[in-house]
Amino acid sequence: MSSPPRFLAQLTLAFVLGLSACASLGTSSTPTPELPTFTPIPPTATPPPSAATVNGEYITTAEFQAELDRYKAAQTALGLSFIDEDANKAVLEDMIAQFLLAQAAREANFNLTESDLQLRIDALVSQLGSADALSQWQAAHGYDDASFRIALKRSAEAAWMRDKIIADVPAVAEQIHLRQILTYNQGDAQAALQQLKTGADFDELAALYDPITLGELGWAPRGYLLDANADEAVFALQAGQYSEVIATDAGFHIFKALERSDHPLTPDALLTMQELALKNWIAEKRASSDIVLAP
């Protein structure tokens, strides 16, 4: 288990407040005239001030502000600047994602009991050396015992669901073994493409533009290139074919497919595919959920 500051850096809290009220039936004891009986409608629970609701679960203003303060403190400690509006959005989106993951874990019958939760807290105490050390860390990061337990529970639920999602990513996938000619201006790229179309050798041109790697990219599954246009162009190729010039943030590319087949993912490609699977899951879950942001 990693150290507590990192382990809890992006925790979100939840404390749904509200009291239900009931009233007794009222009737008259006088037989005549008979008064009608009635049942008062119980008042609905007053919702807490909230930054958002996620499928009816409140992200309270208090917990959002506490998480935002932790985020800003962490950014400052790392020497990173931020714009308040961007920080607010990043924290809220992260909290929404964690709520969605935690809710899905409970729907999948993951149940973190109080004894399981206490075991996790005991492990943190052991790591830090004492209960006092944990209490001091909690206080320094804006937690009390109750909010810390809520945060830790939701974090565990979200982590379980995250692990379930990434575990479903296959270790073998259709991939293309790629080589590229990479230039940093469009004119050079177009000139290289014209040379290819008049019979120039792709590998020789790739080595000319990048004598260190010779243009070798290795095996790439769908989504690995992290650019939708590049990904689409690459997976339109059959072995031996090359693409037109593709512009990305990295430069101007001409890709060549050397081989195409099902192939084991490299550790880096597997990690990228897992991150992509998690990102897609959150996007799909968010689209199908009832999420209301505070005005």
Side-chain angles (χ1 to χ4, degrees), residues 7 21 64 70 87 96 110 127 161 164 222-223 241 252 266:
F7 179 67
F64 168 73
R70 285 187 284 272
I96 289 171
F110 174 71
Q127 277 192 332
M161 192 64 205
K164 185 176 186 300
R222 288 185 185 274
Q241 295 179 330
F252 297 87
T266 65

Side-chain angles (χ1 to χ4, degrees), residues 21-205:
C22 63
S24 60
L25 296 178
T27 61
S28 171
S29 57
T30 305
T32 55
E34 184 175 359
L35 298 177
T37 61
F38 70 98
T39 303
I41 299 174
T44 56
T46 302
S50 301
T53 59
V54 182
N55 296 318
E57 189 175 355
Y58 296 110
I59 298 177
T60 67
T61 303
E63 63 188 314
F64 168 73
Q65 188 60 53
E67 187 64 25
L68 181 61
D69 290 344
R70 285 187 284 272
Y71 174 86
K72 289 181 176 180
Q75 295 294 99
T76 300
L78 292 171
L80 301 175
S81 60
F82 54 84
I83 299 172
D84 283 344
E85 183 179 354
D86 292 342
N88 292 352
K89 182 177 180 181
V91 170
L92 186 57
E93 288 300 316
D94 184 70
M95 293 181 77
I96 289 171
Q98 191 174 58
F99 270 56
L100 291 172
L101 287 164
Q103 289 170 357
R106 295 193 293 270
E107 290 170 3
N109 296 320
F110 174 71
N111 179 32
L112 187 72
T113 65
E114 282 300 309
S115 59
D116 292 333
L117 182 60
Q118 189 58 50
L119 286 174
R120 292 170 184 257
I121 292 174
D122 292 343
L124 290 174
V125 169
S126 179
Q127 277 192 332
L128 288 174
S130 69
D132 284 344
L134 178 58
S135 294
Q136 291 171 13
W137 184 91
Q138 289 175 195
H141 291 81
Y143 294 106
D144 57 22
D145 286 340
S147 64
F148 182 74
R149 291 181 76 89
I150 292 169
L152 187 58
K153 184 174 188 295
R154 180 172 290 117
S155 177
E157 291 168 340
W160 182 88
M161 192 64 205
R162 177 205 63 209
D163 291 346
K164 185 176 186 300
I165 293 165
I166 67 176
D168 290 338
V169 175
V172 175
E174 182 187 20
Q175 298 186 68
I176 296 182
H177 183 190
L178 290 173
R179 191 162 291 159
Q180 70 171 347
I181 296 169
L182 173 63
T183 72
Y184 299 102
N185 66 75
Q186 190 170 14
D188 286 347
Q190 292 294 345
L193 181 63
Q194 188 58 39
Q195 288 178 273
L196 290 174
K197 290 183 175 181
T198 56
D201 183 78
F202 190 99
D203 294 348
E204 290 180 2
L205 282 178

